[in-house]
Amino acid sequence: MEYLGNRRGSAPALQNVELSREEVRPVFEHLMSNIELWLANNYVHADLSAYNVLYWQRQVRIIDFPQAIDPRFNPNALSLLTRDIENICHYVACYGLERNGQRIAEKLWRKFKNAEL
Ligand SMILES: Nc1ncnc2c1ncn2[C@@H]1O[C@H](COP(=O)(O)OP(=O)(O)OP(=O)(O)O)[C@@H](O)[C@H]1O
Ligand SMILES: [Mg+2]
C-alpha cells in the first residue's frame, strides 16, 4: 500500500480531521464504493471506522486490513459488513449526512449473493 502523508508525518485519520461541508458526501461515496469493490472481490474489511481511514489533501486511504475476512466462508460476514458500514454512516451523521447503514449493507449483500450464484 502507498504511504499517505509527507516527510513530517503520516496523514491524519478521518476521525482527527475537520471536513468541510462539501467534502463529506464525496468521502462517504468513496468509502461505499471501496466497500462494494472489496465485496465483489470477496473481502470485508471487518475493522472499518474513521480511525482506519486516512485523509490527506482530499485523498482517502483505507488502512489496517489484517483482520479482513472472506465473506464466502465466514458466517459472520454480513454482520461484520454491516458494522463497517454503520461505523462510516455514524461518522458522516456527525456532519448531518443521514444514511441507513443497515439498509446499505443488506443491499450490497444481496448483490454479492446474487453475483455468487
Ligand atoms: N498507508 C499509510 N500511509 C501513511 N500512514 C499509515 C499508512 N498505514 C498506516 N499508517 C499509520 O500507522 C497508524 C496505524 O496503522 P494501522 O491502523 O494499520 O495499525 P493498528 O495496528 O490499527 O494501530 P493502531 O492501534 O495505532 O490503530 C495509522 O494511524 C497511520 O498513522
Ligand atoms: Mg488501526
Side-chain angles (χ1 to χ4, degrees):
M1 173 187 308
E2 218 181 311
Y3 177 82
L4 190 65
N6 64 15
R7 284 158 59 185
R8 292 170 58 199
S10 70
L14 204 49
Q15 185 64 39
N16 300 319
V17 298
E18 185 75 32
L19 298 182
S20 64
R21 280 175 60 92
E22 66 273 13
E23 285 175 292
V24 180
R25 196 184 295 257
V27 166
F28 180 77
E29 301 297 342
H30 181 101
L31 292 171
M32 291 306 128
S33 75
N34 272 271
I35 291 169
E36 181 166 359
L37 185 64
W38 298 329
L39 193 59
N41 289 281
N42 305 312
Y43 279 100
V44 172
H45 185 291
D47 189 25
L48 189 60
S49 72
Y51 292 95
N52 282 330
V53 177
L54 304 183
Y55 191 66
W56 180 259
Q57 297 172 345
R58 304 209 172 210
Q59 290 180 78
V60 180
R61 183 128 329 137
I62 297 143
I63 59 166
D64 205 358
F65 282 84
Q67 69 298 306
I69 56 112
D70 185 331
R72 291 170 301 176
F73 309 117
N74 188 309
N76 298 319
L78 176 56
S79 72
L80 291 166
L81 176 74
T82 305
R83 190 181 66 182
D84 280 357
I85 293 174
E86 282 183 330
N87 285 342
I88 300 303
C89 290
H90 185 250
Y91 174 79
V92 295
C94 299
Y95 287 99
L97 185 62
E98 299 288 340
R99 288 292 180 270
N100 186 326
Q102 180 110 33
R103 215 154 57 203
I104 295 170
E106 280 166 7
K107 196 171 160 195
L108 287 182
W109 187 253
R110 270 198 305 275
K111 198 168 166 184
F112 166 70
K113 280 291 162 195
N114 287 336
E116 232 196 349
L117 297 175

